[in-house]
């Protein structure tokens, strides 16, 4: 069965909407993005607390 594609009413005088074009970029879920940010925050906190002991 073919996937049903919903279309929006024509607006913008033929301009392409941002979600019309599919790119080859890495796709990440919102949960994944939040997890990555939280990991970076945790690393930053650990470096602020223990960085002077590790790096002198």
């Amino acid at each position: 069965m073919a996937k049903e594609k919903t279309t929006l009413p024509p607006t913008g005088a033929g301009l392409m909407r941002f979600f019309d074009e599919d790119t080859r970029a890495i796709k990440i879920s919102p949960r994944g993005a939040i997890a990555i940010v939280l990991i970076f925050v945790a690393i930053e906190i650990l470096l602020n607390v223990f960085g002077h002991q590790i790096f002198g």
Side-chain angles (χ1 to χ4, degrees):
M1 237 176 135
K3 292 183 180 179
E4 293 181 16
K5 185 175 181 180
T6 58
T7 57
L8 298 175
T11 59
L15 297 175
M16 185 180 297
R17 292 181 299 272
F18 72 94
F19 54 84
D20 282 346
E21 185 176 336
D22 189 25
T23 60
R24 295 184 187 184
I26 296 172
K27 296 183 181 176
I28 186 167
S29 69
R31 278 189 179 166
I34 291 172
I36 290 171
V37 169
L38 290 176
I39 289 169
F40 279 118
V41 169
I43 291 170
E44 180 71 25
I45 291 170
L46 289 173
L47 284 174
N48 280 322
V49 172
F50 300 110
H52 66 280
Q53 295 173 353
I54 297 170
F55 300 112

